[in-house]
Amino acid sequence: MLAIQDLSKTYNTGDRALRGVSLSVARGQMVALIGPSGAGKSTLLRCINRLVTPTAGSIRVDDVDMATLNGRTLRHARSRIGMIFQEYALVERLTVLENVLSGKLGTMPLGRSLLRRYASADVERAVRLLTEVGLASQFEKRADALSGGQRQRVGIARALMQDPALLLVDEPTASLDPKTARQIMRLIHAAGEERNLPAKITLHDVPLAQLFSDRIIGLRDGLIVFDGAPTELTDDRLTEIYGEEDWNATVDTDGENASDNREESRHRLDALEERIDV
Ligand code: ADP
Ligand code: MG
């Protein structure tokens, strides 16, 4: 479904963000991408939908090599890749419904997209998706009137509106409180599972990554240093990914013992899971 071979990216500043990354993701697999700040996680996602042009390597999405496309073929291929962002990237002055409908823009003739006229089938679909993400009564609200969690729900519905073949999600919960973060992750997980979509999600929160993914890839300095099941991610492996001190920061600690903190964080999340009903 998604196959990346020897991918590297050197920015024109000289930053070597990726140094030969190879991996493949099967249909329906939820992959969490973790690693310290600057490891190359966002660059990897952005290479996949070609927001960033790779320096070398290939990226096959359903047998189309994203690395070499351009012009109209690139726009078409990109329209099948749903992207969800940390900062939501909504159009503030548009309504919730219009934001979701904008997910269709990539595949519409320019004239129609400028006029913002949509087929009624698209409107019905957007309404269905908004109901699915729990915003059934908020269609007419402007995006700038929503809470962070609601904004991310719009972001998810907009990505699903594209009828994506693949979901790319960059730090979807980084601006949210823990309870909302968990609801959003659960929603992304359910949406992907229901559609048998592969998803690649960068996450700062290690316990959240462990809870909501089938596989975890650890990136450090542009290289894959871990690729395995969430249960294989021991403290030693985390130290390899994050370095001696850094990964403490991923579970919101005051610099106490990392293992205790992770344990505590898990308990906290377990307690939350019992209370939250999404
Ligand atoms: P992460 O998402 O894991 O924090 P990034 O992919 O954002 O990592 O960054 C990886 C490296 O590439 C960093 O050294 C960063 O400074 C550099 N980088 C990211 N984006 C750009 C850019 N647009 N121009 C130059 N360097 C960049
Ligand atoms: Mg990033």
Side-chain angles (χ1 to χ4, degrees):
M1 170 61 231
L2 169 66
I4 296 176
Q5 197 66 44
D6 293 323
L7 184 68
S8 43
K9 173 64 186 178
T10 305
Y11 286 102
N12 50 21
T13 51
D15 281 291
R16 292 186 67 194
L18 297 173
R19 302 163 184 257
V21 165
S22 299
L23 62 98
S24 49
V25 180
R27 186 159 283 286
Q29 196 174 45
M30 293 267 151
V31 181
L33 202 55
I34 64 169
S37 181
K41 305 181 294 296
S42 296
T43 301
L44 180 51
L45 290 195
R46 289 165 157 267
C47 281
I48 296 171
N49 69 358
R50 281 285 301 281
L51 288 173
V52 164
T53 305
T55 308
S58 68
I59 302 158
R60 305 194 80 81
V61 178
D62 271 344
D63 286 329
V64 174
D65 187 356
M66 294 297 295
T68 56
L69 295 180
N70 46 47
R72 194 202 302 198
T73 49
L74 174 59
R75 277 198 301 280
H76 178 73
R78 203 183 258 155
S79 73
R80 298 299 313 284
I81 301 178
M83 182 112 186
I84 299 168
F85 303 88
Q86 171 183 347
E87 297 300 343
Y88 324 116
L90 304 183
V91 183
E92 299 294 337
R93 64 193 166 73
L94 294 187
T95 65
V96 164
L97 187 63
E98 287 170 316
N99 268 282
V100 174
L101 281 163
S102 76
K104 284 293 285 188
L105 288 183
T107 57
M108 243 192 251
L110 186 63
R112 277 182 69 200
S113 68
L114 282 179
L115 288 169
R116 287 205 265 115
R117 269 205 234 118
Y118 301 95
S120 65
D122 288 340
V123 175
E124 278 166 31
R125 204 168 115 73
V127 168
R128 263 204 315 280
L129 288 169
L130 279 166
T131 307
E132 176 180 343
V133 300
L135 292 177
S137 56
Q138 317 275 341
F139 304 161
E140 298 299 327
K141 262 197 190 164
R142 270 172 58 135
D144 53 14
L146 301 178
S147 71
Q150 290 174 324
R151 293 163 78 81
Q152 196 55 293
R153 287 170 193 265
V154 176
I156 295 166
R158 181 184 53 193
L160 295 173
M161 188 70 198
Q162 289 173 242
D163 190 19
L166 171 69
L167 269 186
L168 302 177
V169 191
D170 201 3
E171 307 272 6
T173 63
S175 309
L176 304 173
D177 65 83
K179 176 179 168 183
T180 307
R182 200 170 159 89
Q183 291 173 329
I184 290 298
M185 279 309 296
R186 190 170 301 189
L187 197 53
I188 292 170
H189 191 269
E193 200 160 59
E194 183 154 311
R195 293 164 177 80
N196 201 25
L197 276 179
K200 220 156 182 327
I201 308 175
T202 76
L203 274 173
H204 196 59
D205 186 314
V206 171
L208 213 52
Q210 286 174 306
L211 272 167
F212 288 103
S213 55
D214 310 314
R215 172 180 169 195
I216 294 188
I217 292 177
L219 213 59
R220 181 174 183 174
D221 294 335
L223 288 169
I224 293 178
V225 293
F226 176 86
D227 187 348
T231 48
E232 293 173 83
L233 197 59
T234 59
D235 288 358
D236 285 348
R237 305 310 302 273
L238 278 164
T239 305
E240 282 171 38
I241 301 167
Y242 284 97
E244 280 298 331
E245 294 129 32
D246 280 357
W247 81 265
N248 258 330
T250 65
V251 287
D252 210 8
T253 75
D254 299 311
E256 291 168 31
N257 179 281
S259 173
D260 285 354
N261 276 306
R262 195 148 60 91
E263 208 48 44
E264 195 183 297
S265 174
R266 279 219 193 90
H267 287 316
R268 182 164 50 85
L269 288 170
D270 284 344
L272 269 172
E273 181 159 53
E274 283 164 21
R275 294 213 310 273
I276 299 170
D277 188 26
V278 176

